[in-house]
Amino acid sequence: MFAQLWPGLVVEENSLARVISDLRKALGESANCIVTVARRGYRLDADVRKLSRGTAPAGTGCKALAVLPFSAIGGTEDDKRLSFGMADALITRLSRIKEIAVRPTTSITRYLDATQSPGELGRELRADVVLCGSVRRSAAQVRVTVQLIDVATEAALWADKFDEIGRAHV
């Protein structure tokens, strides 16, 4: 799967562990809702609507999530494939969370070159929140920026950037 989604890049499982660590730090006291399942991965063990009350505007419970295609800064075909592959991989992972309806990859492919705001796209997709981002590759460095946007208010609920330097790990 890694070879298909990220051709030519070395992608390691420890990247996911680092992101989970960052999520736990961001959640603070609620971090125990991310459970490590030995030899399987991670499980969200919480009511997402309750979690969102502490960090999002009132009434922003997440029932439906859309992961938009990431934009490729640089614009090469390889960058576009990498960007779409990241969104597809996130959709696959997030779809395992029973409490959230995640829009499938097939519903977001038409937005590869969309110019509308994340809120507009989220309304079209009938999502409560959208995850959008960008990927920039330069020599041996990859930077991924990600934002979680509330569709109703178009406010950023969370944002972060992830840099990898060296052998172009993601």
Side-chain angles (χ1 to χ4, degrees):
M1 177 178 88
F2 289 137
Q4 287 180 327
L5 294 177
W6 298 295
L9 294 177
V10 178
V11 180
E12 297 178 353
E13 287 290 326
N14 67 358
S15 296
L16 176 63
R18 190 177 60 245
V19 171
I20 293 296
S21 174
D22 290 342
L23 280 172
R24 286 178 171 150
K25 287 177 189 172
L27 289 171
E29 291 180 19
S30 300
N32 61 351
C33 68
I34 301 175
V35 179
T36 303
V37 180
R39 294 180 297 281
R40 302 274 311 194
Y42 302 93
R43 181 182 74 235
L44 180 65
D45 190 22
D47 183 343
V48 176
R49 289 165 290 192
K50 286 182 186 174
L51 273 178
S52 67
R53 284 190 201 124
T55 58
T60 314
C62 175
K63 296 176 187 170
L65 168 72
V67 178
L68 300 177
F70 285 17
S71 61
I73 299 174
T76 69
E77 284 303 312
D78 284 345
D79 292 338
K80 289 179 183 179
R81 278 194 294 277
L82 172 64
S83 298
F84 190 77
M86 285 187 167
D88 182 53
L90 282 168
I91 290 168
T92 301
R93 289 255 182 202
L94 292 169
S95 293
R96 297 177 186 167
I97 302 171
K98 295 176 191 171
E99 294 82 6
I100 304 172
V102 180
R103 300 298 181 245
T105 303
T106 54
S107 70
I108 60 121
T109 53
R110 64 181 166 193
Y111 300 114
L112 275 168
D113 296 313
T115 57
Q116 299 105 309
S117 73
E120 290 173 307
L121 297 177
R123 284 187 283 283
E124 280 185 31
L125 290 163
R126 289 179 281 136
D128 300 305
V129 293
V130 294
L131 186 72
C132 56
S134 65
V135 177
R136 179 181 328 175
R137 218 173 8 171
S138 174
Q141 181 176 358
V142 176
R143 171 173 278 180
V144 179
T145 59
V146 185
Q147 290 186 345
L148 186 65
I149 307 291
D150 180 280
V151 171
T153 64
E154 297 200 31
L157 302 174
W158 171 81
D160 209 339
K161 69 176 171 60
F162 305 92
D163 290 316
E164 284 295 328
I165 301 172
R167 298 181 318 166
H169 291 111
V170 176

